[in-house]
Amino acid sequence: MTVRVLLVDDQPLLRTGFKLILEAEADITVVGEAGDGAAAVELTRSLMPDVVLMDIRMPGVDGIEATRRIVREQAATHDPRVLILTTFDLDEYVIEAVRAGASGFLLKDSPPEELVTAIRIVAGGDAIVAPSVTRRLLDRFATRLPSVRNVGPPPGLETLTAREREVLSHVARGLSNAEIAAELVVSETTIKTHVGNVLAKLGLRDRVQAVVYAYETGMSQPGQG
């Protein structure tokens, strides 16, 4: 199956570079290019890409707002995944982009093979941001997140079983399925099933949003290991 990609960046030379890298892969095709967020939203609607490779800082409609619009408008049709491109690995805007619905982020100077791998992973419905990196970002910018709820259980948490809550807490700590399986002495397949159930019950797209959920609900605190 060919992965359809939309390139969004205000620098034509960068778009050309990304296109050359991606078009060299047999299973990836670039269906369009946009120089700003507004054009990205329109082209996502008309071209229906599987993955939108989105720059954050652009004139006019930036990558965060474009991501928010794409996720909100397209979820009911073909549910495109947004992969954010950033220059800095601790860019505060990355947090806002993830909360807007992006499936992760990638540094612009990442090796070509990492870009290609990231496209395939995101197209497959997973998140490209390592949970540990997400935690570092959230730790740094925790003050920008809504204050944790002091009364009653976090929304949706009551639908989780005790084991699913336990798995979610491990996900929020940045552990992989294999690491969680080792800690709980169960198979990796079992953990994968639990993670899938957690995401489905809470209406989350991927592990990145699960980490954000854990912070926003107070399940995980900045600096926790």
Side-chain angles (χ1 to χ4, degrees):
M1 189 178 83
T2 301
V3 178
R4 296 164 54 81
V5 178
L6 173 65
L7 299 178
V8 185
D9 196 295
D10 61 342
Q11 298 182 51
L13 281 177
L14 277 179
R15 294 202 307 270
T16 299
F18 290 137
K19 184 173 183 177
L20 287 173
I21 292 170
L22 298 179
E23 289 284 10
E25 303 297 320
D27 61 335
I28 298 176
T29 183
V30 175
V31 296
E33 300 179 33
D36 60 70
V41 175
E42 290 300 321
L43 287 177
T44 300
R45 188 181 297 125
S46 60
L47 299 175
M48 300 183 71
D50 301 304
V51 176
V52 179
L53 201 58
M54 180 80 74
D55 186 23
I56 287 185
R57 307 184 187 206
M58 296 180 290
V61 177
D62 63 19
I64 296 171
E65 178 58 27
T67 297
R68 188 176 292 112
R69 293 183 191 177
I70 287 171
V71 171
R72 183 178 63 237
E73 294 177 14
Q74 304 296 315
T77 55
H78 71 293
D79 194 23
R81 297 295 169 134
V82 179
L83 179 59
I84 295 293
L85 288 169
T86 179
T87 309
F88 309 103
D89 65 345
L90 284 179
D91 189 332
E92 64 188 273
Y93 295 105
V94 170
I95 291 299
E96 296 303 320
V98 169
R99 294 182 62 206
S103 291
F105 78 94
L106 192 69
L107 294 177
K108 283 188 176 182
D109 59 358
S110 297
E113 59 271 19
E114 284 189 17
L115 172 63
V116 172
T117 299
I119 293 288
R120 291 178 179 139
I121 289 176
V122 171
D126 209 344
I128 190 59
V129 185
S132 57
V133 175
T134 308
R135 284 190 56 86
R136 190 171 76 242
L137 285 163
L138 288 169
D139 280 347
R140 178 166 175 177
F141 301 110
T143 54
R144 296 176 178 270
L145 296 174
S147 55
V148 298
R149 300 164 180 84
N150 297 317
V151 214
L157 191 60
E158 71 281 354
T159 66
L160 304 184
T161 65
R163 178 46 63 97
E164 287 168 351
R165 293 188 195 198
E166 189 175 15
V167 169
L168 175 57
S169 70
H170 286 307
V171 169
R173 285 173 52 208
L175 301 186
S176 66
N177 286 351
E179 291 168 335
I180 298 173
E183 284 213 11
L184 301 183
V185 199
V186 295
S187 72
E188 189 173 343
T189 302
T190 298
I191 296 302
K192 186 174 181 180
T193 299
H194 284 315
V195 171
N197 289 340
V198 168
L199 297 181
K201 287 182 177 181
L202 299 179
L204 305 174
R205 291 164 63 92
D206 48 47
R207 296 172 79 100
V208 178
Q209 290 200 339
V211 177
V212 174
Y213 172 91
Y215 270 76
E216 292 186 331
T217 57
M219 285 187 68
S220 183
Q221 298 294 329
Q224 275 185 345

